[in-house]
Amino acid sequence: VLASVAREPEGTYGYKITQDVRQAIDLAIDDQTIVDTILQGAGTPMLTRVPSGVNGCNEDLVGKYNYDPERAKELLAEAGYPDGFSMKIEAPTGRYTMDAEISQAIVAMLSQVGITVDLQLLESSAYSNVFSAHSAEDGFMTCFGLGFFDASYGMIGYFGVNTSGESNWNNQEYIDMYYEAEFNMNEEERTQLFQEMQQMVADEGVIYFLDDEDMNFIIIFNEDAPPELAELSVLHTKAELKEDPAVGDTFRIGKKEYKVSAVGWEAPHT
């Protein structure tokens, strides 16, 4: 799940990230256009970091996004920024699918509501240092994956050390709900709590979710390669291949011809 994060309470250029400002930023970003043009349809706009199919996902937030630039301008004016403000966003290049292009598109969209962005594109290792140290000054772009197919793995990211230096969001009601869900042995009640928590995050605009990237991956190797080499195989996304491959198909990458040995799905966080 691709997302953009803005820190609170105060940015590098003196503005304050209030709930109105967070929501204005979210309303300024046209998620569907990003999916349709940059990702060539290989994604789904969403308002949660818990993808469809994962236990506890709030399906009402999948396929949904907020885009209303005029309302964004109104919220900025109400927050005391009728002429907008400037901020800094740090983003990776070459780490996630089309990460630099998506970040540049977001910068252009924010400019339409008066928000001027100083975009810092960092190569993967430099970005990792910033992300690991929680040292992004105002905001950053990242990609979330779920190591376990359960909402709890993603929802723990909204309090304590997980938000410190990131969104800095702190909501005691959310924290109480998380622990209630975590120790609840009733599956329906637990799922309901996680879904309500996702709605709370969406309503407050804590993180701006862009899309759940469809990462159709292909394991490829030459016919004469030993099976154990599959672990070292090249991964390509559906968006990059611009076609729907099937097992047995052959195609070229550079000067080499490959045969598709398997097709499946891979989470975007690798």
Side-chain angles (χ1 to χ4, degrees), residues 27-45:
L27 289 166
I29 301 172
D30 187 348
D31 306 64
Q32 190 64 58
T33 292
I34 290 174
V35 169
D36 292 342
T37 59
I38 300 176
L39 294 176
Q40 302 176 49
T44 303

Side-chain angles (χ1 to χ4, degrees), residues 8-9 39 43 47 59 63 92 95 103 136 151 173 182 214 232 250 255:
E8 60 176 39
L39 294 176
L47 297 174
E59 296 288 349
R95 182 181 178 92
S103 297
E173 180 184 2
E182 189 71 351
D214 296 338
L232 304 176
T250 59
K255 296 182 179 180

Side-chain angles (χ1 to χ4, degrees), residues 11 14 22 124-125 165 206:
R22 289 200 305 264
S124 188
S125 61
V206 181

Side-chain angles (χ1 to χ4, degrees), residues 53-57 149-151 180-195:
V54 171
N55 184 52
C57 170
F149 289 98
D150 187 84
E180 182 182 349
E182 189 71 351
F183 295 102
N184 194 327
M185 300 302 292
N186 183 300
E187 185 175 354
E188 290 186 3
E189 293 178 359
R190 183 174 183 274
T191 295
Q192 180 65 31
L193 284 166
F194 280 132
Q195 291 176 342

